[in-house]
Amino acid sequence: MPDLHRIEGELLGFYSKPQYSSLFYQRNRFEMAAKTITPQALAKTAAETLLRSQSLLDPVYVEELRGSVELYRAFDGISKEQGTAMTLGASWSSRDLVERIWQATAKLSGAGREELFMDLMRSANFIHPAWNQMIHIARMQVPQGNCVVVIRGRGNWKAMQTNRPKARRSPYPPKPFDELKNPQVESVDDVLYSLRMMPIPGEEQYVVPLFNDMWVRKVAKNLRWPLA
């Protein structure tokens, strides 16, 4: 299990640097939270969320990436109020992973290729179908001369467990367990047979607690999709 105190301390070390003050200013300017978000508060919240979600396996690394950097995520954008996946979420994949998965679908074309690509992205990142319908792709482009702090590690299938305390719930009302849209995941067998995923360490994921919203754009459906 990742070391909560180490991750919090390393995040705070980065966020205390002067170059991140503008990102905190922007976050606090547009955030609707009652309290000001400080480096200490964000480091603590990000570490606690990582531990509670069980989304990453040890070893987990806290790193500073310098632009130009590209990260990608799938999203549905159905309803922010329902808690579904939006462009500005915290979980991202590397450009390298997106390229490799897209290349793996090269024998197909059109809608069939896009569907298989999304299926492989879901499996690689252990995304429960109730969380995200994975309709679109967003890209985060960190410009040259800028930097971003990420928490990097391999995905953990246990993040999808529906029977553990504080497990993430389906945002779609009503919330019954549905064999396809919201399957119960309680064991390795459920991962294999209900989700048709392999319960082994997943691909590397990047959790990005703080970034500039202007770095993120939806990838247009053109000849370069899913890349931009």
Side-chain angles (χ1 to χ4, degrees), residues 6 15 20 28-30 38 52 60 68 99 106 121 124 129 136 156 164-165 169 179 185 196-197 228:
R6 175 185 64 83
Y15 286 146
Y20 291 102
N28 285 306
R29 181 182 178 187
F30 297 104
T38 64
R52 183 173 63 251
V60 171
S68 180
E99 287 180 335
M121 280 284 286
H136 312 291
N156 180 11
R164 62 183 175 82
R169 304 301 180 188
E179 186 175 338
V185 179
R196 289 176 293 195
M197 299 180 185

Side-chain angles (χ1 to χ4, degrees), residues 28-65:
N28 285 306
R29 181 182 178 187
F30 297 104
E31 189 74 32
M32 299 302 292
K35 295 183 179 180
T36 299
I37 300 173
T38 64
Q40 293 84 355
L42 183 60
K44 181 178 180 63
T45 298
E48 290 177 345
T49 300
L50 182 70
L51 189 67
R52 183 173 63 251
S53 68
Q54 298 184 22
S55 59
L56 299 181
L57 294 167
D58 260 341
V60 171
Y61 306 95
V62 178
E63 300 173 337
E64 185 179 61
L65 304 182

Side-chain angles (χ1 to χ4, degrees), residues 24 27-28 43 92 94 96 114 117 120 135 142 144-145 171 179 196 217:
F24 278 99
R27 172 71 67 87
N28 285 306
W92 297 80
S94 68
D96 175 69
E114 292 179 12
F117 168 78
L120 293 175
I135 301 171
V142 183
Q144 192 73 36
E179 186 175 338
R196 289 176 293 195
R217 292 287 186 275

Side-chain angles (χ1 to χ4, degrees), residues 2 31 33-34 52 55 104-105 108 125 179 184 197 208 219:
E31 189 74 32
R52 183 173 63 251
S55 59
T105 66
L108 298 179
N125 292 295
E179 186 175 338
Q184 294 193 65
M197 299 180 185
V208 190
V219 178

Side-chain angles (χ1 to χ4, degrees), residues 86-123:
M86 308 297 284
T87 58
L88 302 180
S91 298
W92 297 80
S93 298
S94 68
R95 181 186 177 95
D96 175 69
L97 175 61
V98 174
E99 287 180 335
R100 285 190 285 117
I101 293 178
W102 186 240
Q103 290 169 4
T105 66
K107 291 184 178 180
L108 298 179
S109 62
R113 186 179 187 186
E114 292 179 12
E115 183 178 355
L116 178 59
F117 168 78
M118 288 298 199
D119 286 344
L120 293 175
M121 280 284 286
R122 183 185 297 281
S123 180

